[in-house]
Amino acid sequence: MMLRLRRYRYYVFFAAVVVLLLYRVTTNTEQWEPVSASIPYTKAPSKSAPERGFGTTNKDVNYQHAPSKSGAGFSDEDDDVAQQLLEKAGKEPAEVKIPSLKPTTAGDSADKFDFPTTTITTTSTDRSRSKVVVYDKDGATRTTTVPLINIPNKNVGQGAKGAGKGAHGAPGARKTKTQIATTTIHWKKLPEHFPVPETDIIPLPTGKPKPIPAVQHEFKKESADAREKRLDRLSKVKAEMIRGWNGYMTYAKGHDELSPVTKKFRDPFCGWAATLVDALDSLWIMGMKDEFEEALLEVEKIDFTTTEHRIEIPVFETTIRYLGGLVAAYDVSGGKAGGYDILLEKAIELAEILMGIFDTPNRMPDLYYKWKPEFAKLPKRALTGVSVAELGSLAMEFTRLAQITKENKYYDAVARITDAFYEWQERGTTLSGIFPERVDASGCNRTAETEIAAKEAKLREEAQIAFQEAGPQADLLAAKSSKSLIEESGSQSKAIQGESRALGRRSQVGTPEDDGIKHQKIVRDDKDKHPLSQGTTSLVKDRDEDSSTSGSDFGGGKDKCVPQGLAPGSWSRSEQYSMGGSQDSTYEYFPKQWLLLGGLEPKYRTLHVKVIAAVKKWLLFRPMVPDDSDILFSAKIHTQGNPESDAETDWEVTHLTCFLGGMFGLGGKVFEVAEDVEIGKKLTDGCVWAYDNTPSGIMPEGATVVPCVDVNDCQWNETLYWQWLDPLYGTRNKQIEEYEKMQREQKVQEAATKANKKMGVLAKETASNEESNLGGITSQGTPNIDGLVSVGVQKRTPPPRLGSSADSNADSNRVSDPSDEVIKMDDELSIDADGDVIKALDDDNAGQIPLQAVEGEGQFPDPARPLSHKEYVEYRIKSEKLPPGFVSANFPAYILRPEAIESVWYMYRITGDTAWQDKGWKMFNAIVSQTRSEAGNSAIDNVLVSSPIKTDEMESFWLAETLKYFYLLYSDPNLISLDDWVLNTEAHPFRRPI
């Protein structure tokens, strides 16, 4: 009975527990409900898709036949929309747009993405490849925004109140096995630490554009056959564009780049659809208007305020590809009249973010901008080791945006960089006129800071010693030392500051009254300065007045900085100068920016003229090539600061420097220097030669050649060429002579050894015969004639080869060489250094180590025979697959670069010579045949072989630049005429002022 009662107690207890659990479950059912139920799902307003085409507005706009430059200044047609967009961009946003997740392609996997807690639903549009969705221009600027849902962080552990609410998106959204709770971080506009006063903002130059000579050749009417040939080529280029675009949209839409072999994608540039934005103007120019309008649907989705791919924005690439792409697409599609206002809106959105890079004490940009608010809110300086190209290649994009929006702040940002380069060029660089590859843009003289710090430390030490020795007078001495310290360091700092105060000032240098050619005086102290331009004051001066050093609050402490202008940024004393990578586009922008500003800012002309002079003096060279072609390339110089005596030159042939032909040609036309146009032709022909002389028909990324001693008289010299291939050619003959001498000495020693061996055998035979005559009694330890102990031998037989059982297989495959004789000799007997017989081997001890072995005995090593000069050169040419004329090709890849065809296009448009079209066509066929894949075109690993390997990368500039230049080479010359347009370094056309 007691047992039953205990059992019932257990039942009651467990029943109570179950009831309690059921109660808890029913009262907390919300933990297990789908979290999406807490977020109401609402459809975004749908857009009506008009018929394919441009609409009534666009039909009246034809960018190809823009009015000639007969008017004054810029058109005001963009004022209204630009101002509305700027007002919207200038306000602190109350709402944040969060992009919806892009659909997963076949190549995606769930672990490639971070899933945000909040998903904004957008219009669902079915876009198959057989049908193109037309962009709704009328609703372009009505971007739907949804208020950010504020979901506080929750403890999702058991028992947390309201756990799990708000973790999913709208009903029907894709769910994963494990929901990853993340918070999307967005950039936001913050107060500047170093703002430019409104009165100090550098304005766009005003006035009527100056008369500029025509750039393009005056083309005559072509024949029917020439037209048919040109249009056939044009259609084939466009077909390649269509194929590449379709591959991108199918496999990489919304991402930066297509991987054309594996049909996947990459996101090296923040994941903002780089290829799509970069190719917008190419689509319009090639008449692919439906694809253009479809692409705008994706442009609307881009949110420049956030990226999951990078913690910093690469400013140079972002500016030339994204900002340049948006502004150019707006320009070519008709600007305000075109009706594609979303392009300008997105350009302003991006520009407002990028303006944060200029918030530094000297207004030089932070070129790798940490965009997240936790970093963006901190004060910063420009880096001490930036490239010239990154620093100087922002000018055109911000300038054109300033012209469209009438916002001077965009121009001010880049004009200060130009002023810094101008001041540096006037101050002087090691190679006068051009700048070293690495630049210290921080604005702080680190050397001076170190010297001042050392002096301060020394003065403190002296003051401390004096304090200890002075006794009662310590206070007075300490005060005097402190005053001396302050005065000395302050005066030194001010002296250095005087060199850089001109940075923020605008003098009469660069005004319309100055022709920009004559030498201009740069401010170096307070006594000698130019009057300021109207409405402009010195930003640097205002800051300098407060402190002897340009101190700013960095990290809570006073940051001591001795101001300076731009300076070499290399940590070593060596400086590099070239027109290649990390330097090129800054020099390219000087004449182009002059054109974009209508010739109203002469500083750009001055910069260009001095650059050209330096390139002619230091960098241009003619290569020695087998066909004696009269071509030119640009070299690279390394110097420790005294180039007249210590310059070392790399006679390089690089694809990136191929832009130089176009730059010389363009500058030669607009500044009326005929010689520069001719130099441009030879530079372009140099790159064409590099294409023609490889097995693939494509130029390598980087190679070297032999320079001609005389540019005007240079014939092919194979002997000299071989000497460049073999820098040690002078020592090869001596090495061969020493080797042959050693071989002769070895043969003499071999002969002596064989003679000694024969003598030893005869002595043994004599002893053996004597023993036989004594009745077979074997002598034990009888000295032989050489004084050595002889081992008894019944019968002398030839000894087996040492190690014969082990080495037989190896020796059967051995290539006969002179050392075989040495091995055979060593098999028979061992000898000492003097060639004396040590011990004869009999059948019993054959193969054993001699009992009286002497170090090095029995070995006559035959070192590898040194190669002759001829053998070495032939080996290098064969192993490195060097084409005739190339000394090296350390960078044999091709990544779909445009620079060579860019200059070919410039030469055709400038000269009108159809030979350039033929040269370009040969290049096009070579490139397409080697790079084509099913989904697009891929970079290749080695142009020095006839069948290179595809590396599965299609850079955005393939559609944006390379194919665009090929297309324009065979289009009507009036399409993107150089007299109406100027192209940035990513081939984005900006309209010139009229």
Side-chain angles (χ1 to χ4, degrees):
M1 187 66 177
M2 293 295 294
L3 183 60
R4 288 181 180 177
L5 288 174
R6 289 179 180 175
R7 187 179 300 167
Y8 291 145
R9 288 174 184 172
Y10 286 120
Y11 289 158
V12 172
F13 174 74
F14 284 118
V17 171
V18 170
V19 171
L20 179 61
L21 290 175
L22 289 173
Y23 172 76
R24 293 296 300 275
V25 169
T26 57
T27 56
N28 292 279
T29 307
E30 61 202 45
Q31 291 189 24
W32 316 107
E33 293 177 353
V35 184
S36 59
S38 65
I39 305 175
Y41 172 70
T42 57
K43 267 191 173 183
S46 61
K47 296 178 181 178
S48 60
E51 295 182 3
R52 190 176 296 184
F54 320 116
T56 56
T57 304
N58 194 54
K59 286 181 180 178
D60 299 329
V61 179
N62 188 343
Y63 75 94
Q64 299 180 17
H65 303 286
S68 60
K69 302 186 299 295
S70 58
F74 295 93
S75 171
D76 294 332
E77 63 178 3
D78 298 325
D79 288 359
D80 295 337
V81 62
Q83 290 303 322
Q84 292 172 8
L85 293 173
L86 281 167
E87 288 173 5
K88 180 171 30 172
K91 295 177 181 178
E92 189 68 27
E95 300 171 341
V96 179
K97 291 182 290 183
I98 301 179
S100 59
L101 291 176
K102 298 176 178 62
T104 308
T105 64
D108 298 340
S109 58
D111 58 358
K112 288 184 181 179
F113 302 94
D114 291 328
F115 298 94
T117 58
T118 305
T119 302
I120 306 304
T121 59
T122 59
T123 305
S124 176
T125 308
D126 181 19
R127 292 185 297 275
S128 64
R129 297 315 306 150
S130 61
K131 181 180 180 182
V132 176
V133 176
V134 180
Y135 177 73
D136 180 8
K137 294 184 293 181
D138 296 332
T141 58
R142 297 198 300 269
T143 305
T144 302
T145 59
V146 180
L148 178 63
I149 301 174
N150 185 16
I151 304 176
N153 295 330
K154 291 181 173 63
N155 177 8
V156 295
Q158 184 177 0
K161 185 177 180 180
K165 285 187 177 180
H168 294 278
R174 183 178 55 161
K175 301 174 183 178
T176 59
K177 294 180 180 179
T178 304
Q179 287 293 334
I180 304 173
T182 60
T183 302
T184 302
I185 300 173
H186 291 262
W187 170 91
K188 62 181 180 180
K189 195 171 183 64
L190 298 166
E192 286 195 339
H193 293 277
F194 310 99
V196 180
E198 192 70 26
T199 56
D200 288 354
I201 291 178
I202 301 171
L204 279 163
T206 58
K208 183 178 180 180
K210 290 188 174 182
I212 297 174
V215 177
Q216 283 209 168
H217 175 75
E218 188 175 342
F219 288 89
K220 307 295 183 182
K221 185 177 180 180
E222 61 188 341
S223 66
D225 290 341
R227 175 181 171 79
E228 182 180 0
K229 179 180 179 181
R230 177 179 62 79
L231 292 179
D232 178 64
R233 292 174 173 180
L234 186 71
S235 65
K236 291 179 180 177
V237 174
K238 183 174 179 178
E240 205 65 26
M241 175 71 184
I242 293 172
R243 202 172 58 82
W245 176 256
N246 287 341
Y248 168 80
M249 292 295 282
T250 302
Y251 302 108
K253 180 171 65 175
H255 295 278
D256 284 343
E257 293 177 355
L258 168 69
S259 297
V261 178
T262 58
K263 299 177 182 178
K264 296 182 180 179
F265 55 79
R266 304 188 309 139
D267 285 301
F269 303 117
C270 298
W272 295 329
T275 295
L276 185 142
V277 176
D278 222 2
L280 285 171
D281 52 13
S282 294
L283 295 173
W284 185 276
I285 288 168
M286 297 188 192
M288 300 169 65
K289 303 303 191 297
D290 291 340
E291 289 83 352
F292 175 85
E293 295 189 343
E294 181 188 15
L296 295 188
L297 296 171
E298 297 300 317
V299 171
E300 278 192 277
K301 299 176 185 178
I302 299 173
D303 186 354
F304 290 119
T305 67
T306 188
T307 173
E308 63 183 22
H309 303 286
R310 298 188 67 146
I311 62 171
E312 82 290 324
I313 297 174
V315 172
F316 167 71
E317 300 290 354
T318 300
T319 301
I320 66 172
R321 298 181 196 231
Y322 290 105
L323 186 58
L326 291 166
V327 171
Y330 182 76
D331 257 354
V332 299
S333 62
K336 178 184 177 182
Y340 300 106
D341 297 334
I342 186 63
L343 293 166
L344 183 58
E345 178 183 346
K346 285 296 181 180
I348 292 173
E349 177 186 326
L350 177 57
E352 287 300 309
I353 296 170
L354 293 179
M355 284 298 289
I357 70 176
F358 302 102
D359 184 21
T360 63
N362 63 348
R363 302 300 293 184
M364 294 298 104
D366 176 10
L367 293 168
Y368 290 88
Y369 180 49
K370 292 181 173 59
W371 57 271
K372 295 183 179 180
E374 60 182 306
F375 300 111
K377 68 182 180 181
L378 303 174
K380 53 188 171 291
R381 289 191 187 280
L383 299 177
T384 59
V386 302
S387 74
V388 169
E390 289 179 308
L391 184 60
S393 303
L394 313 177
M396 293 185 67
E397 296 77 11
F398 279 90
T399 295
R400 183 58 189 146
L401 184 61
Q403 290 173 341
I404 294 172
T405 63
K406 303 297 187 290
E407 274 292 320
N408 285 322
K409 66 179 181 180
Y410 298 132
Y411 179 71
D412 172 90
V414 293
R416 292 181 184 276
I417 300 174
T418 301
D419 284 354
F421 274 116
Y422 183 87
E423 186 272 337
W424 194 10
Q425 192 183 66
E426 291 292 318
R427 179 167 24 107
T429 57
T430 302
L431 294 190
S432 182
I434 55 179
F435 310 102
E437 181 177 307
R438 309 305 294 179
V439 179
D440 180 356
S442 68
C444 296
N445 190 325
R446 301 301 179 187
T447 303
E449 290 173 12
T450 303
E451 292 174 354
I452 290 174
K455 288 186 177 181
E456 289 178 350
K458 183 177 180 181
L459 288 171
R460 289 192 187 94
E461 182 181 359
E462 292 175 352
Q464 183 65 23
I465 295 173
F467 180 81
Q468 293 174 354
E469 294 176 351
Q473 298 181 347
D475 290 341
L476 181 59
L477 286 172
K480 289 183 178 180
S481 297
S482 177
K483 182 178 180 182
S484 174
L485 173 65
I486 294 172
E487 289 177 352
E488 182 170 349
S489 62
S491 61
Q492 183 170 349
S493 174
K494 285 182 178 179
I496 297 171
Q497 285 179 25
E499 294 290 326
S500 63
R501 284 190 177 177
L503 179 61
R505 298 176 179 147
R506 301 284 290 179
S507 68
Q508 290 297 333
V509 180
T511 59
E513 287 72 25
D514 171 40
D515 61 8
I517 299 299
K518 60 180 180 292
H519 179 75
Q520 299 295 340
K521 205 168 203 178
I522 298 300
V523 179
R524 296 190 182 277
D525 53 56
D526 288 334
K527 297 180 181 178
D528 189 9
K529 55 189 176 185
H530 293 283
L532 303 180
S533 297
Q534 184 177 1
T536 308
T537 59
S538 172
L539 178 66
V540 176
K541 180 179 178 182
D542 292 341
R543 297 199 183 104
D544 290 346
E545 289 173 352
D546 297 333
S547 171
S548 60
T549 58
S550 190
S552 302
D553 190 5
F554 282 84
K558 198 71 171 178
D559 175 52
K560 289 189 175 181
C561 171
V562 178
Q564 69 171 7
L566 299 180
S570 175
W571 287 107
S572 65
R573 291 185 58 192
S574 179
E575 299 174 8
Q576 296 182 11
Y577 294 82
S578 79
M579 292 290 112
S582 298
Q583 305 186 58
D584 46 3
S585 48
T586 288
Y587 302 117
E588 173 190 354
Y589 273 23
F590 291 153
K592 290 183 174 182
Q593 183 77 343
W594 186 82
L595 284 172
L596 187 59
L597 292 170
L600 296 175
E601 177 49 273
K603 283 186 178 179
Y604 291 103
R605 179 175 184 173
T606 302
L607 286 161
H608 172 76
V609 168
K610 292 187 176 181
V611 166
I612 292 297
V615 171
K616 290 178 182 177
K617 177 179 179 180
W618 292 103
L619 302 182
L620 293 187
F621 72 96
R622 178 180 175 180
M624 184 184 72
V625 294
D627 60 1
D628 296 334
S629 296
D630 187 7
I631 57 179
L632 294 175
F633 288 112
S634 179
K636 174 183 284 187
I637 284 187
H638 307 257
T639 176
Q640 301 291 324
N642 188 12
E644 297 289 352
S645 59
D646 66 12
E648 297 179 2
T649 306
D650 296 336
W651 307 104
E652 63 181 16
V653 173
T654 65
H655 206 290
L656 280 169
T657 58
C658 285
F659 85 97
L660 208 53
M663 187 187 87
F664 265 82
L666 179 66
K669 289 296 290 186
V670 298
F671 299 129
E672 300 181 285
V673 184
E675 179 188 68
D676 289 357
V677 176
E678 294 304 312
I679 290 175
K681 292 179 185 178
K682 294 183 179 182
L683 285 164
T684 306
D685 267 331
C687 294
V688 172
W689 173 88
Y691 267 78
D692 288 342
N693 285 273
T694 64
S696 65
I698 304 174
M699 178 182 182
E701 279 288 298
T704 58
V705 290
V706 181
C708 292
V709 177
D710 188 343
V711 175
N712 298 314
D713 183 15
C714 185
Q715 285 82 38
W716 174 250
N717 184 333
E718 189 167 28
T719 300
L720 179 61
Y721 173 59
W722 279 29
Q723 290 174 356
W724 275 79
L725 285 169
D726 180 14
L728 299 178
Y729 71 92
T731 65
R732 300 286 179 194
N733 292 337
K734 185 176 181 181
Q735 291 175 357
I736 294 293
E737 291 174 0
E738 292 177 351
Y739 171 81
E740 291 175 348
K741 179 181 178 182
M742 183 181 68
Q743 290 292 97
R744 289 193 296 270
E745 292 174 351
Q746 182 172 312
K747 288 180 180 180
V748 171
Q749 192 158 346
E750 287 177 12
T753 300
K754 290 180 179 180
N756 289 336
K757 180 187 71 172
K758 291 179 179 179
M759 292 176 61
V761 170
L762 289 174
K764 289 181 176 63
E765 289 177 352
T766 302
S768 176
N769 291 336
E770 291 176 353
E771 290 176 355
S772 299
N773 293 335
L774 292 174
I777 301 176
T778 303
S779 171
Q780 300 290 331
T782 304
N784 62 17
I785 57 176
D786 295 316
L788 299 177
V789 177
S790 175
V791 179
V793 179
Q794 290 285 349
K795 185 178 179 180
R796 179 69 179 172
T797 57
R801 187 168 184 168
L802 289 175
S804 59
S805 61
D807 298 336
S808 58
N809 291 334
D811 290 344
S812 65
N813 296 324
R814 179 181 174 86
V815 179
S816 176
D817 60 42
S819 63
D820 289 342
E821 296 298 327
V822 178
I823 295 173
K824 294 174 183 177
M825 177 187 65
D826 189 32
D827 288 343
E828 297 180 0
L829 77 166
S830 298
I831 60 173
D832 61 12
D834 297 325
D836 297 331
V837 176
I838 300 297
K839 181 173 62 174
L841 304 175
D842 59 13
D843 292 340
D844 295 326
N845 61 14
Q848 295 180 353
I849 298 175
L851 298 178
Q852 301 181 18
V854 178
E855 182 178 359
E857 71 178 7
Q859 300 295 328
F860 285 87
D862 184 15
R865 179 182 176 277
L867 297 177
S868 67
H869 173 53
K870 179 181 178 181
E871 291 169 336
Y872 176 83
V873 169
E874 290 175 343
Y875 172 78
R876 270 204 66 191
I877 292 174
K878 182 178 180 181
S879 63
E880 298 179 30
K881 300 178 175 60
L882 293 175
F886 286 83
V887 174
S888 70
N890 295 329
F891 303 96
Y894 173 67
I895 63 171
L896 308 176
R897 286 202 185 276
E899 290 79 16
I901 189 60
E902 173 186 349
S903 285
V904 169
W905 174 69
Y906 272 100
M907 287 300 107
Y908 170 66
R909 289 292 187 90
I910 289 171
T911 66
D913 187 351
T914 57
W916 294 109
Q917 290 181 312
D918 296 334
K919 295 172 184 178
W921 189 241
K922 187 175 181 181
M923 294 164 62
F924 175 79
N925 286 324
I927 292 171
V928 170
S929 66
Q930 296 291 353
T931 65
R932 178 181 285 171
S933 69
E934 183 179 347
N937 295 77
S938 171
I940 53 178
D941 69 332
N942 191 349
V943 301
L944 303 182
V945 297
S946 57
S947 299
I949 297 171
K950 296 178 177 64
T951 58
D952 200 23
E953 295 180 357
M954 190 176 90
E955 294 266 5
S956 71
F957 51 64
W958 169 246
L959 303 183
E961 294 189 74
T962 311
L963 287 179
K964 183 186 296 171
Y965 282 123
F966 275 119
Y967 187 87
L968 291 174
L969 182 62
Y970 305 110
S971 70
D972 187 307
N974 291 321
L975 179 59
I976 309 296
S977 167
L978 287 171
D979 292 322
D980 299 320
W981 300 85
V982 57
L983 283 68
N984 84 336
T985 193
E986 195 75 3
H988 294 310
F990 299 149
R991 188 180 290 280
R992 286 171 51 181
I994 55 176

